[in-house]
């Protein structure tokens, strides 16, 4: 019986550890997204495309993305990343630029006044490619939004570099998303079976004692 008990214990531990790595990738689309333009001395207004451009001449373009993080599955695993496929019309050939990312709790719809919204979160270097996919770990921003009772997490994208960026399907690019992983159903089954086996092995040892 001791041999069978040890075998059951070993198999149970193996099931638990094997279940850890089995997950699949998932994405959350933006609930709303809009480019916002502001002319010097004027009021910001919504654009029909997503663009990020620093103050060149008398205008500046920014983009705001709103994600319904309340719709994320409870089993969503870290890291949760913001995925930004971008077209940089000033590359290759110039010095690498960057995108400044600001965050705030949104309402699910982008407004022109969001041109000024948000607190600094991170700066992403865009490199020197004409088309690139930029990744940013936003796990803490998601957690803070939910902890503060918010449902929609908004990202405001701007730049103080000389590069000009475009995003979204209007430019033949995938739309920005939030990326995360979710355990497969088989993973949960393996884990539950493993813990059940551990419990049974412990029970058998107690009886034997």
């Amino acid at each position: 019986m001791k041999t069978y008990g040890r075998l059951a214990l070993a198999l149970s531990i193996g099931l638990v550890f094997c279940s850890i790595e089995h997950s699949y990738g998932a994405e959350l689309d933006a609930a709303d997204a809009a480019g916002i333009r502001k002319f010097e001395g004027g009021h910001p207004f919504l654009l029909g495309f997503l663009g990020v451009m620093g103050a060149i001449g008398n205008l500046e373009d920014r983009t705001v993305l709103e994600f319904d993080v309340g719709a994320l599955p409870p089993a969503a695993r870290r890291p949760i990343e913001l995925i930004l496929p971008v077209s940089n019309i000033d590359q290759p050939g110039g010095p690498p630029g960057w995108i400044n990312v600001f965050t705030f709790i949104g309402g699910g719809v982008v407004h022109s006044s969001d041109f000024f919204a948000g607190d600094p979160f991170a700066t992403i270097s865009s490199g020197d490619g004409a088309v690139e996919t930029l990744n940013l770990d936003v796990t803490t921003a998601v957690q803070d939004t939910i902890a503060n009772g918010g449902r929609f997490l908004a990202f405001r994208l701007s730049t103080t570099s000389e590069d000009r960026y475009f995003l979204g399907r209007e430019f033949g690019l995938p739309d920005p998303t939030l990326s995360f992983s979710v355990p497969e159903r088989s993973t949960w089954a393996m884990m539950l079976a493993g813990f059940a086996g551990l419990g049974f092995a412990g029970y058998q040892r107690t009886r034997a004692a």
Side-chain angles (χ1 to χ4, degrees):
M1 289 295 293
K2 288 184 178 180
T3 301
Y4 287 116
R6 289 171 182 169
L7 180 60
L9 180 61
L11 287 173
S12 299
I13 293 174
L15 283 171
V16 172
F17 277 96
C18 286
S19 68
I20 293 175
E21 297 300 328
H22 293 274
S23 60
Y24 63 90
E27 292 183 337
L28 179 68
D29 294 329
D32 195 19
I36 309 174
R37 174 169 292 176
K38 181 182 180 301
F39 287 98
E40 185 178 355
H43 297 288
F45 58 92
L46 298 179
L47 297 170
F49 60 89
L50 306 181
V52 179
M53 181 176 66
I56 299 176
N58 65 340
L59 65 88
E60 181 178 356
D61 289 348
R62 299 177 179 180
T63 283
V64 174
L65 312 168
E66 293 224 12
F67 291 92
D68 183 2
V69 294
L72 287 171
R77 286 183 172 176
R78 305 178 185 178
I80 301 173
E81 293 187 316
L82 176 63
I83 308 299
L84 298 174
V86 300
S87 172
N88 185 342
I89 65 174
D90 294 299
Q91 296 295 343
W98 58 86
I99 292 178
N100 302 314
V101 181
F102 295 74
T103 59
F104 60 98
I105 296 177
V109 178
V110 178
H111 300 281
S112 59
S113 58
D114 293 338
F115 185 90
F116 305 101
D119 297 314
F121 181 76
T123 297
I124 316 173
S125 174
S126 61
D128 57 3
V131 176
E132 296 183 313
T133 298
L134 309 180
N135 297 37
L136 177 64
D137 188 337
V138 296
T139 306
T140 56
V142 172
Q143 293 173 333
D144 289 346
T145 298
I146 295 174
N148 287 306
R151 173 159 186 166
F152 293 93
L153 171 59
F155 299 95
R156 193 250 290 171
L157 312 177
S158 62
T159 185
T160 50
S161 71
E162 296 181 357
D163 286 2
R164 293 166 290 176
Y165 304 93
F166 295 101
L167 305 87
R169 63 187 64 182
E170 291 86 359
F171 302 96
L173 299 170
D175 287 328
T177 59
L178 288 185
S179 174
F180 56 96
S181 61
V182 179
E184 295 179 353
R185 292 184 179 181
S186 60
T187 296
W188 291 111
M190 290 174 65
M191 186 174 292
L192 289 173
F195 282 123
L198 288 173
F200 178 75
Y203 171 72
Q204 290 291 88
R205 292 181 66 182
T206 301
R207 287 190 59 188

